């Protein structure tokens, strides 16, 4: 708004300066500051009110304006001439002042034109801060954080539009626009090789904008991993404060932790939309990094715009969104018969504003890596021989195959009068996973597996200037149909030779198979209104509705009860401010968390005996319903000391609402608890960043401290007895509220870059998580024995280091050779509480020091790419979890082709 006023103000001033009849005294009348506030009034009423304030009368050609149009006058000490030009939308061609009368001459033209679009690099990366100018005019602007621009109030005519961005070759294009014309023009800039070979110049990229916000957030540029066979999990595991623990090879179960809070405490998003309705078949450990542009990791405090109930943080995956036709296809093959393929393709018709985007991936692995004896950590790979258990080294996993795939299609309409973007999409994902081990290598399965598939249609809509100026709206809606099952068809227990040991007891010979169907609906609305150049208000609403149906596939007569229902409603209101020329930014927000649950519970079990003495079990169910609401709040602030150095702080009172498994159970050995209360936490972050750039040198330093005070923390307790879900006596797990956990820690990261030749980085995280329950279950006479003890089975010290060396032109023109080395360190930690037992008697997860290396070659400016990788190069016996060995040394090769 202010920029457009500045342009039109300049045009009017220039016009007035050429008019010989306009005297200085008359000019002063047009420069008189006016304060007025009126909304929704006609043009005639607006000019009458404006004349009363300025002591003037106005005349103009009424046939050249829309008499029915209602306008807003909200100005504080603004010059009269600026208000008039804004009121007449840039149509003023001349002004004459005679005494106290102002005569306004208007151009005989329709509404002014508009030129809009996006500016990106040839690689597809958005270019924020790029200059977009109509040469020979005062009309111009810089692109926003997404590379978008919109030149408004463009008079009819022929122009040359020029695009410039530091580090890229400038681009010009001739355009012609008619009365009220709407042009959609997007640009793709090539890198300036002469400049970039000597010095790397970074503008204000989207990743840098995020890093310099008030939130404790890590922005990972995923494009540099596009030529590797890594998945999103493996990329995230290299970032500060993040620790991902996997139980095995490709597709295995994993836990994700940020600053000591893991699993359900972290929420995941794709392009700002929650992943909750994408089902079991879609996960971070099967999503290729080549489909991702960047990853945002919010630690502790999460912005209200994401509409999340995260307790420990959130991860937002931003996928590739190119502005042109392109095809990106890759395939990798590696050890253990591992195949990973990925494809992204887009067709775009810029004239019609139409694009069709298709994405997909496929993963397969036998996961038949060798298991190794490790007596030091009580890991023995045993087989049964002549009635004795014998440890044998190097036996392969024989029942751990994993297979998954995903396909997604999306149709987009952009730059329409009624929408900046409208999208309709559909995705399908499936998986099939054999389950080789249970909680440790001592239990070997030969017939247990999990399968599932998910269907997910979606719609999205985005519009700036929605109904009124300064109002932006984004709407998302999606549905999920998730169907998965866990089965065990084995009649024998197995050992590590792959053979069975003995028949199971008669009561365990029966195969089991439980089928679950989740139906979900997701609705999300984000409304942003610019109050002023320095202030804006954002309102977000997120609703997630889920229904779960359970059945026993292999015993249809067994009654699982009626369907369970779960609803989550999260609303947030944020006030964003940028003060002191953006040296100080603040984000204040408040959130509402609403939870509704309806769970079936067994109220009576009836046993009916037939004539032959067999019993039939009939369960009678009732529905237990509950609703609760909670309020949270927070703030994130960033202060720039210099252009390169800033300080960030954030604080939040947040809640994590319960998930389906916690309330309803999994139908097997995890029993839900309808009496659970949502967990809450006070989260605090304090950090600083420094970004130094000079010639070819670049240094980035980030340090941070964090504190978490979690209440109603949910623990799981083991119960031996009658499991009401399967009506058998067995060991099962049930969650309960009993915990208070306090976490505090430090983290730091240092990165150095020398042009395009060298990049190096190191980061570390240390966190101290303790049990803050002084008394057990409200008993005030006896102190909890683990009070102030470190939380067990959780890494507390870990870090990463990487080094990359690359050079262009070694293998020919437009080629590049890149060598990368990556090391990860994790300090050992206890499996159980420190206070229970002697140090010698307690089990530990050992220290890990894993090295990885890769060599990548590219030709024709990245069109063809070949990558060779080795993971766990030192062949370390690796554990993320107690006794669950990960793969040893492995090798992978990847081919990737990008056609633009």
């Amino acid at each position: 708004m202010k920029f457009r006023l500045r342009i039109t103000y300049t045009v009017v001033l220039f016009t007035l300066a050429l008019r010989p009849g306009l005297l200085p005294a008359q000019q002063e009348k047009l420069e008189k500051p006016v304060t007025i506030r009126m909304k929704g009034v006609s043009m005639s009423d607006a000019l009458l009110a404006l004349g009363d304030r300025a002591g003037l009368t106005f005349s103009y050609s009424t046939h050249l304006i829309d008499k029915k149009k209602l306008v807003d006058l909200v100005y504080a000490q603004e010059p009269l001439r600026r208000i008039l030009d804004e009121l007449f939308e840039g149509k003023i061609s001349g002004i004459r002042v005679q005494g106290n009368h102002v005569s306004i001459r208007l151009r005989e033209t329709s509404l002014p034109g508009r030129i809009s679009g996006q500016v990106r690099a040839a690689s597809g990366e958005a270019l924020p801060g790029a200059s977009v100018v109509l040469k020979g005019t005062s009309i111009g602007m810089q692109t926003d954080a997404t590379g978008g621009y919109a030149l408004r109030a463009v008079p009819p005519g022929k122009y040359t539009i020029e695009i410039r961005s530091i580090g890229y070759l400038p681009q010009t294009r001739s355009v012609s626009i008619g009365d009220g014309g709407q042009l959609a023009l997007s640009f793709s800039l090539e890198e300036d090789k002469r400049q970039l070979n000597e010095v790397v110049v970074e503008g204000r990229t989207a990743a840098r904008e995020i890093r310099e916000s008030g939130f404790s957030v890590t922005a990972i540029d995923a494009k540099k991993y596009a030529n590797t066979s890594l998945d999103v999990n493996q990329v995230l595991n290299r970032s500060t404060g993040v620790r991902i623990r996997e139980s095995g090879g490709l597709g295995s179960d994993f836990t994700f932790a940020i600053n000591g809070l893991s699993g359900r405490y972290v929420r995941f998003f794709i392009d700002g939309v929650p992943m909750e309705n994408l089902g079991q078949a879609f996960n971070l450990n099967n999503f290729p990094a080549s489909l991702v542009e960047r990853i945002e990791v919010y630690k502790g405090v999460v912005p209200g715009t994401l509409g999340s109930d995260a307790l420990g943080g959130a991860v937002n995956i931003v996928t590739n969104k190119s502005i042109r036709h392109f095809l990106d296809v890759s395939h990798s093959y590696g050890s253990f018969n591992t195949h990973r393929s990925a494809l992204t393709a887009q067709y775009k018709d810029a004239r019609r504003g139409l694009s069709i985007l298709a994405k997909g991936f496929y993963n397969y692995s036998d996961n038949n890596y060798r298991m190794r004896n490790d007596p030091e950590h009580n890991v023995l790979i045993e087989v049964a021989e002549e009635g004795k258990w014998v440890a044998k080294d190097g036996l392969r996993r024989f029942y751990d195959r994993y297979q998954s795939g995903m396909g997604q299609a999306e149709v987009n309409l952009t730059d329409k009068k009624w929408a900046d973007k409208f999208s309709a999409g559909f995705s399908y994902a499936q998986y099939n996973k054999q389950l080789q081990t249970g909680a440790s290598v001592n239990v070997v399965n030969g017939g247990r597996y999990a399968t599932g598939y998910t269907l997910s249609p979606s719609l999205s809509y985005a519009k700036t200037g929605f109904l009124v100026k300064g109002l932006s709206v984004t709407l998302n809606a999606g549905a999920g149909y998730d169907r998965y099952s866990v089965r065990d068809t084995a009649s024998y227990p197995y050992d590590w030779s792959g053979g069975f040991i003995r028949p199971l007891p008669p009561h365990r010979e029966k195969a089991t198979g439980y089928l679950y169907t989740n139906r979900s609906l997701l609705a999300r609305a984000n409304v942003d209104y610019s109050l002023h150049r320095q202030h804006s208000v954002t309102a977000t609403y997120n609703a997630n509705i889920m229904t779960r149906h359970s059945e026993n596939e292999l015993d249809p007569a067994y009654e699982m009860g009626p369907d369970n229902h779960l609803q989550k409603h999260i609303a947030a209101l944020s006030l964003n401010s940028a003060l002191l020329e953006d040296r100080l930014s603040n984000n204040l927000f408040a959130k509402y968390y609403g939870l509704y649950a309806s769970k079936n519970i067994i109220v009576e079990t009836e046993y009916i005996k037939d004539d032959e003495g067999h019993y039939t079990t009939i369960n009678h169910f009732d529905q237990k319903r509950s609703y609760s609401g909670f309020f949270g709040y927070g703030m994130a602030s960033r202060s720039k000391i210099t252009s390169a150095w800033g300080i960030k702080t954030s604080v939040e009172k947040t809640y994590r609402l319960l998930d389906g498994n916690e309330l309803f159970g999994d139908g097997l050995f995890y029993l839900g608890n309808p009496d659970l209360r949502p967990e809450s936490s006070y989260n605090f972050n304090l950090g600083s960043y420094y970004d130094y750039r000079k010639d070819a040198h670049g240094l980035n330093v980030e340090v941070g401290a964090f504190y978490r005070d979690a209440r109603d923390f949910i623990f799981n307790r083991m119960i031996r007895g009658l499991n009401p879900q399967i009506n058998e006596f067995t060991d099962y797990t049930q969650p309960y509220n009993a915990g208070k956990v306090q976490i505090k820690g430090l983290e730091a990261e240092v990165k150095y870059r020398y042009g395009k030749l060298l990049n190096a980085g190191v980061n570390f995280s240390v966190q101290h998580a303790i049990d803050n329950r002084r008394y057990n279950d409200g008993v005030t006479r006896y102190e909890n024995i683990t009070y102030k003890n470190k939380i067990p089975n959780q890494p507390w010290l870990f870090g990463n280091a990487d080094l990359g060396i690359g050079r262009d032109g070694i293998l020919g023109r437009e080629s590049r050779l890149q060598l990368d080395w990556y090391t990860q360190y994790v300090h050992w930690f206890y499996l159980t509480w420190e206070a229970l037992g002697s140090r010698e008697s307690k089990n530990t997860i050992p220290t890990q020091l894993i090295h990885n290396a890769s060599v990548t070659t590219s030709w024709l400016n990245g069109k063809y790419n070949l990558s060779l990788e080795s993971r766990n190069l030192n062949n370390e016996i690796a554990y993320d979890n107690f006794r669950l060995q990960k793969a040893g040394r492995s090798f992978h090769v990847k081919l990737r082709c990008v056609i633009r």
Side-chain angles (χ1 to χ4, degrees):
M1 174 75 72
K2 183 175 180 179
F3 189 78
R4 189 170 75 178
L5 282 172
R6 187 178 298 158
I7 295 171
T8 53
Y9 173 80
T10 304
V11 173
V12 172
L13 181 63
F14 182 75
T15 304
L16 294 176
L18 295 179
R19 295 186 59 84
L22 202 59
L23 301 176
Q26 297 169 330
Q27 292 184 29
E28 290 179 3
K29 294 181 179 180
L30 294 178
E31 293 290 345
K32 183 178 181 179
V34 175
T35 297
I36 189 169
R37 183 178 181 86
M38 301 180 69
K39 289 192 175 183
V41 297
S42 66
M43 283 286 289
S44 58
D45 289 343
L47 286 171
L48 285 173
L50 198 60
D52 288 340
R53 296 294 175 90
L56 300 170
T57 59
F58 300 95
S59 63
Y60 57 96
S61 301
T62 58
H63 71 282
L64 294 178
I65 65 169
D66 183 358
K67 300 180 182 62
K68 297 181 180 180
K69 182 179 179 181
L70 299 180
V71 297
D72 295 339
L73 291 175
V74 184
Y75 298 96
Q77 294 296 301
E78 289 284 348
L80 176 61
R81 73 169 74 236
R82 293 190 183 183
I83 299 175
L84 290 173
D85 195 78
E86 177 68 14
L87 195 61
F88 287 97
E89 300 181 319
K91 294 181 181 178
I92 298 176
S93 61
I95 296 180
R96 180 182 294 275
V97 181
Q98 294 179 322
N100 290 328
H101 180 74
V102 179
S103 177
I104 302 172
R105 186 168 69 248
L106 304 178
R107 290 191 298 270
E108 297 205 21
T109 180
S110 60
L111 293 174
R114 180 177 184 265
I115 304 175
S116 62
Q118 280 194 318
V119 179
R120 290 181 176 266
S123 62
E125 176 187 4
L127 292 179
S131 170
V132 183
V133 174
L134 290 183
K135 297 184 68 174
T137 75
S138 58
I139 301 176
M141 65 176 298
Q142 287 187 321
T143 55
D144 60 21
T146 64
Y149 73 93
L151 302 178
R152 298 177 176 86
V154 179
K158 295 182 179 180
Y159 301 94
T160 297
I161 187 170
E162 181 181 58
I163 313 295
R164 289 182 175 273
S165 183
I166 297 175
Y168 295 86
L169 296 173
Q171 190 175 133
T172 59
R173 190 181 302 178
S174 297
V175 297
S176 178
I177 188 168
D179 290 349
Q182 301 281 327
L183 291 182
L185 296 175
S186 293
F187 296 84
S188 178
L189 304 187
E190 300 287 343
E191 290 183 342
D192 188 343
K193 298 292 184 180
R194 294 167 300 176
Q195 184 180 17
L196 291 177
N197 283 336
E198 302 299 328
V199 56
V200 174
V201 182
E202 288 194 4
R204 292 189 60 80
T205 64
R208 185 176 174 185
E209 289 277 0
I210 293 167
R211 286 196 301 267
E212 293 185 6
S213 70
F215 294 90
S216 177
V217 56
T218 298
I220 303 170
D221 184 359
K223 294 186 294 296
K224 64 181 180 181
Y225 301 108
N227 289 327
T228 71
S229 58
L230 300 177
D231 54 49
V232 171
N233 255 2
Q234 291 163 330
V235 172
L236 283 166
N237 207 25
R238 303 181 175 193
S239 62
T240 313
V242 173
R243 183 73 187 117
I244 299 173
R245 300 168 64 186
E246 296 180 316
S247 60
L250 180 64
S252 63
D253 294 337
F254 70 92
T255 57
F256 187 103
I258 300 177
N259 291 158
L261 289 174
S262 63
R264 56 186 178 266
Y265 305 113
V266 181
R267 298 302 188 197
F268 300 95
F269 301 79
I270 293 184
D271 296 323
V273 179
M275 287 178 55
E276 295 176 44
N277 68 322
L278 296 180
Q280 302 281 330
F282 191 92
N283 233 320
L284 298 186
N285 65 350
N286 61 22
F287 195 77
S290 57
L291 300 183
V292 179
E293 181 171 307
R294 72 176 184 275
I295 307 173
E296 303 163 2
V297 183
Y298 292 90
K299 303 170 184 178
V301 182
V302 177
T305 51
L306 286 180
S308 168
D309 63 333
L311 202 71
V315 175
N316 184 31
I317 300 169
V318 181
T319 57
N320 293 337
K321 293 181 177 63
S322 179
I323 61 171
R324 53 163 72 183
H325 301 305
F326 75 97
L327 172 67
D328 187 334
V329 59
S330 63
H331 180 78
S332 69
Y333 173 76
S335 301
F336 324 123
N337 195 26
T338 300
H339 297 262
R340 309 196 73 168
S341 301
L343 178 144
T344 308
Q346 178 173 266
Y347 166 79
K348 187 154 190 175
D349 186 337
R351 184 173 63 87
R352 294 184 174 87
L354 171 69
S355 65
I356 301 174
L357 179 66
K359 299 178 183 178
F361 62 78
Y362 173 77
N363 302 301
Y364 176 90
S365 181
D366 288 336
N367 282 325
N368 58 341
Y369 56 88
R370 295 189 181 276
M371 303 293 292
R372 296 153 68 183
N373 286 314
D374 187 8
E376 181 181 354
H377 298 100
N378 199 21
V379 176
L380 298 178
I381 310 305
E382 296 181 315
V383 299
E385 291 185 355
E386 299 179 356
K388 296 181 179 180
W389 288 104
V390 180
K392 290 194 174 182
D393 197 53
L395 295 176
R396 290 188 178 274
R397 299 170 77 93
F398 61 89
Y399 190 78
D400 203 20
R401 186 186 68 239
Y402 175 77
Q403 183 176 226
S404 69
M406 186 276 287
Q408 181 181 22
E410 187 178 283
V411 178
N412 303 296
L413 295 174
T414 56
D415 296 322
K416 302 296 182 181
K417 290 183 179 180
W418 50 275
D420 293 337
K421 183 176 181 180
F422 174 79
S423 301
F426 182 83
S427 65
Y428 172 80
Q430 66 160 13
Y431 76 104
N432 186 299
K433 178 168 66 173
Q434 295 175 336
L435 305 174
Q436 176 76 94
T437 58
S440 73
V441 296
N442 295 343
V443 177
V444 188
N445 299 316
R448 182 176 295 175
Y449 61 98
T451 62
Y453 67 89
T454 303
L455 303 173
S456 301
S458 63
L459 294 172
S460 66
Y461 171 86
K463 175 65 177 174
T464 57
F466 183 79
L467 300 180
V468 297
K469 294 178 181 179
L471 182 67
S472 300
V473 174
T474 303
L475 305 174
N476 301 97
Y481 180 81
D482 181 28
R483 192 173 175 89
Y484 66 100
S485 64
V486 180
R487 305 176 186 176
D488 192 343
T489 59
S491 298
Y492 305 91
Y494 289 79
D495 65 15
W496 278 106
S497 68
F500 61 83
I501 305 170
R502 63 188 180 280
L504 287 169
H507 68 278
R508 292 183 59 195
E509 287 183 356
K510 186 177 180 180
T512 59
Y514 293 90
L515 176 66
Y516 311 96
T517 303
N518 292 335
R519 294 177 176 86
S520 62
L521 292 174
L522 173 71
R524 183 175 181 271
N526 190 288
V527 180
D528 184 89
Y529 183 66
S530 296
L531 300 173
H532 185 269
R533 182 178 63 87
Q534 297 174 323
H535 305 284
S536 66
V537 174
T538 304
T540 303
Y541 172 69
N542 193 349
N544 199 309
I545 303 172
M546 186 268 281
T547 298
R548 173 177 292 180
H549 175 75
S550 307
E551 59 187 278
N552 190 326
E553 286 186 289
L554 305 181
D555 186 6
Y558 184 78
E559 178 62 51
M560 300 290 289
D563 293 347
N564 295 305
H565 304 273
L566 178 65
Q567 294 185 25
K568 296 181 182 181
H569 300 272
I570 302 171
L573 185 66
S574 306
L575 173 63
N576 312 292
S577 302
L579 307 172
L580 304 176
E581 298 181 347
D582 199 35
R583 291 196 300 272
L584 176 64
S585 70
N586 290 301
N587 181 289
L588 301 173
F589 58 88
K591 294 182 182 180
Y592 170 77
Y593 308 84
L595 176 69
Y596 169 80
S598 175
K599 177 186 178 345
N600 63 76
I601 56 175
I602 298 175
V603 295
E604 182 182 357
T605 300
E606 184 178 356
Y607 300 93
I608 300 177
K609 184 178 180 181
D610 61 19
D611 295 338
E612 298 178 358
H614 298 113
Y615 284 91
T616 299
T617 303
I618 300 177
N619 293 321
H620 299 277
F621 295 88
D622 192 10
Q623 291 286 118
K624 180 169 184 176
R625 297 175 175 87
S626 62
Y627 182 83
S628 54
F630 307 89
F631 289 92
Y633 50 86
M635 180 203 72
S637 178
R638 184 264 294 148
S639 176
K640 281 189 175 182
I641 309 303
T642 68
S643 60
W645 176 32
I647 296 176
K648 306 193 298 182
T649 182
S650 56
V651 59
E652 177 185 37
K653 170 64 182 298
T654 184
Y655 289 85
R656 185 193 69 83
L657 302 180
L658 307 169
D659 61 31
N661 275 350
E662 290 169 328
L663 288 172
F664 310 141
D666 65 359
L668 283 173
F669 305 116
Y670 191 84
L671 187 64
N673 184 352
D675 297 319
L676 283 177
R677 299 183 302 276
E679 297 168 304
S680 65
S681 180
Y682 290 94
N683 296 331
F684 301 88
N685 296 296
L686 177 63
S688 181
Y689 67 88
Y690 179 73
D691 197 355
Y692 172 82
R693 298 277 187 264
K694 185 176 182 182
D695 299 330
H697 299 278
L699 177 67
N700 178 263
V701 180
E702 293 188 55
V703 296
F706 56 89
Y707 176 84
R708 314 280 184 259
D709 185 7
R711 312 291 177 88
D712 285 329
F713 210 70
I714 293 177
F715 283 96
N716 294 320
R717 54 187 166 196
M718 297 295 299
I719 299 175
R720 175 68 179 177
L722 179 65
N723 185 337
Q725 295 185 137
I726 60 176
N727 199 35
E728 291 183 6
F729 281 91
T730 183
D731 292 323
Y732 60 93
T733 303
Q734 186 176 39
Y736 69 104
N737 294 103
K740 292 183 179 179
V741 173
Q742 185 185 93
I743 305 172
K744 50 189 174 182
L746 297 170
E747 59 184 29
E749 181 175 52
V750 179
K751 293 182 178 179
Y752 172 76
R753 186 172 183 174
Y754 182 78
K756 297 180 68 177
L757 175 66
L758 173 70
N759 63 275
V762 61
N763 65 60
F764 80 90
S765 301
V766 56
Q767 54 202 29
H768 188 63
I770 62 171
D771 181 2
N772 213 26
R773 296 173 301 160
R774 185 160 190 175
Y775 303 104
N776 284 317
D777 298 326
V779 178
T780 58
R781 291 180 299 169
Y782 301 103
E783 187 172 279
N784 175 18
I785 193 173
T786 61
Y787 178 56
K788 295 301 182 181
N789 267 216
K790 190 179 296 180
I791 300 295
N793 198 22
Q794 182 170 291
W796 62 275
L797 175 61
F798 50 92
N800 307 277
D802 63 88
L803 175 67
I805 300 175
R807 192 163 184 84
D808 295 336
I810 293 179
L811 302 176
R813 290 184 57 194
E814 296 183 327
S815 69
R816 182 169 179 82
L817 178 64
Q818 179 77 27
L819 307 176
D820 289 287
W821 184 277
Y822 165 69
T823 296
Q824 183 174 66
Y825 172 83
V826 182
H827 195 68
W828 68 269
F829 51 97
Y830 286 120
L831 176 67
T832 55
W833 293 100
E834 294 175 291
L836 304 179
S838 65
R839 176 172 180 174
E840 293 75 17
S841 66
K842 287 194 289 286
N843 291 312
T844 63
I845 290 82
T847 294
Q848 308 290 296
L849 185 64
I850 307 296
H851 303 286
N852 306 277
S854 67
V855 179
T856 302
T857 57
S858 301
W859 295 273
L860 298 182
N861 198 24
K863 183 175 183 180
Y864 302 107
N865 307 272
L866 173 65
S867 177
L868 301 174
E869 300 174 64
S870 177
R871 300 179 194 163
N872 197 355
L873 189 61
N874 51 330
N875 202 28
E876 183 89 358
I877 299 179
Y879 305 92
D880 281 342
N881 298 290
F882 180 63
R883 289 187 180 176
L884 291 177
Q885 280 188 14
K886 298 177 64 179
R889 184 187 298 116
S890 64
F891 297 94
H892 306 264
V893 58
K894 179 176 181 178
L895 297 171
R896 177 173 177 245
C897 178
V898 183
I899 301 174
R900 297 186 176 93

